[in-house]
Amino acid sequence: MKATLTEENYLKALFHVIDQEGKVTINELSKFLSVKMPSVNNMMKKFAEKNWVIYETYKPLIVTEKGKREAALVVRKHRLTEMFLVKKMNFGWENVHEIAEQLEHVHSTVFFDKMDEILDYPKFDPHGEPIPDKDGNIIAQDLKKLSECKLGDVAVFTSVTLSDDAFLNYLTERNLFLNKKIKIIKLESFDKSMTVEVDGKQEILSRKATDKILVKK
């Protein structure tokens, strides 16, 4: 039986919050989804029945390999849709998240496989996040936060950890797009803000922003 819309939202949340050992707490899921803990508990018991998680009272959830695959496939639909909207329909990267939120719940595998083919099998979405393949496998990336860079470093803007409209508009207004080279010009000790140079122009970025910009050197 196909996952319901609500189940898919929980699966996607698991994808984003599990740690490297495949574990997550009910409290972490509750905060991420803004859903009360009793509701999360009830859903995770259902997930345990489907062998998507291992559920034990008062212990962190363990997401099974089956659960990881199911979660990755929901994310695949979302990220493929975002890429299609940008590449084939000329949407800005800041305007695709809400539409993808709706289309990710379409259950036709053929539909998304065709989308993948039309896009020539992209490995990353418009925000630089890897797109899981048909089997739920995902490319591992060795990236660091811009906030972790040092004075004088030059790094390539590779991905964002947060793709909400407000943040992407913030980046667009500052001409900060993927694959741009960013040079660290100044670091403020008081508020951890950062002055950077992009395409010969200087911009001041808040610590909140530099924590969400992922780069490679």
Side-chain angles (χ1 to χ4, degrees):
M1 184 181 294
K2 297 289 186 180
T4 66
L5 184 152
T6 302
E7 287 174 340
E8 288 195 328
N9 286 336
Y10 272 89
L11 283 166
K12 191 169 64 171
L14 285 175
F15 179 92
H16 289 297
V17 298
I18 58 174
D19 62 21
Q20 291 184 337
E21 296 178 348
K23 296 180 180 179
V24 62
T25 66
I26 296 292
N27 186 46
E28 287 170 329
L29 264 182
S30 173
K31 289 181 178 178
F32 186 87
L33 289 163
S34 298
V35 174
K36 293 181 179 179
M37 287 182 62
S39 297
V40 178
N41 255 315
N42 289 336
M43 182 60 75
M44 290 305 101
K45 289 176 183 177
K46 293 179 181 178
F47 275 28
E49 292 173 0
K50 296 188 176 194
N51 193 30
W52 291 346
V53 301
I54 297 171
Y55 176 95
E56 292 184 70
T57 307
Y58 306 121
K59 290 185 178 181
L61 298 159
I62 299 173
V63 184
T64 65
E65 289 305 313
K66 182 179 179 181
K68 290 177 184 176
R69 181 179 183 277
E70 291 293 329
L73 291 178
V74 177
V75 172
R76 168 180 166 79
K77 294 189 292 182
H78 183 98
R79 292 181 178 175
L80 273 175
T81 299
E82 288 190 331
M83 199 62 171
F84 190 87
L85 290 168
V86 169
K87 292 297 185 182
K88 298 300 180 180
M89 300 186 72
N90 298 319
F91 280 83
W93 69 335
E94 72 275 15
N95 300 132
V96 296
H97 180 73
E98 291 301 321
I99 302 172
E101 285 279 299
Q102 299 172 52
L103 287 176
E104 71 187 28
H105 300 296
V106 171
H107 286 308
S108 172
T109 302
V110 176
F111 176 79
F112 290 100
D113 287 349
K114 189 65 177 178
M115 189 182 287
D116 197 15
E117 179 186 337
I118 291 170
L119 290 167
D120 197 24
Y121 309 102
K123 301 297 183 185
F124 300 93
D125 76 3
H127 310 114
E129 297 178 297
I131 300 173
D133 66 16
K134 293 168 64 172
D135 297 315
N137 300 313
I138 194 163
I139 297 171
Q141 296 194 90
D142 184 20
L143 305 178
K144 65 189 300 184
K145 296 177 181 178
L146 182 61
S147 58
E148 296 171 342
C149 292
K150 299 175 182 178
L151 185 65
D153 281 354
V154 177
V156 178
F157 183 9
T158 305
S159 181
V160 293
T161 64
L162 181 70
S163 56
D164 71 80
D165 296 356
F167 180 55
L168 294 174
N169 277 318
Y170 173 91
L171 296 177
T172 299
E173 288 169 1
R174 288 157 179 78
N175 197 36
L176 274 166
F177 298 104
L178 298 187
N179 301 315
K180 292 271 189 179
K181 286 187 178 180
I182 301 174
K183 184 176 182 179
I184 317 303
I185 301 298
K186 186 178 180 181
L187 298 172
E188 291 289 350
S189 58
F190 173 66
D191 61 2
K192 307 300 182 184
S193 62
M194 180 182 287
T195 302
V196 302
E197 183 178 287
V198 181
D199 291 338
K201 183 180 178 182
Q202 291 189 10
E203 294 286 352
I204 299 175
L205 303 177
S206 68
R207 177 58 182 263
K208 185 176 181 181
T210 59
D211 273 345
K212 294 173 172 35
I213 295 172
L214 299 181
V215 299
K216 61 183 177 184
K217 296 182 67 178

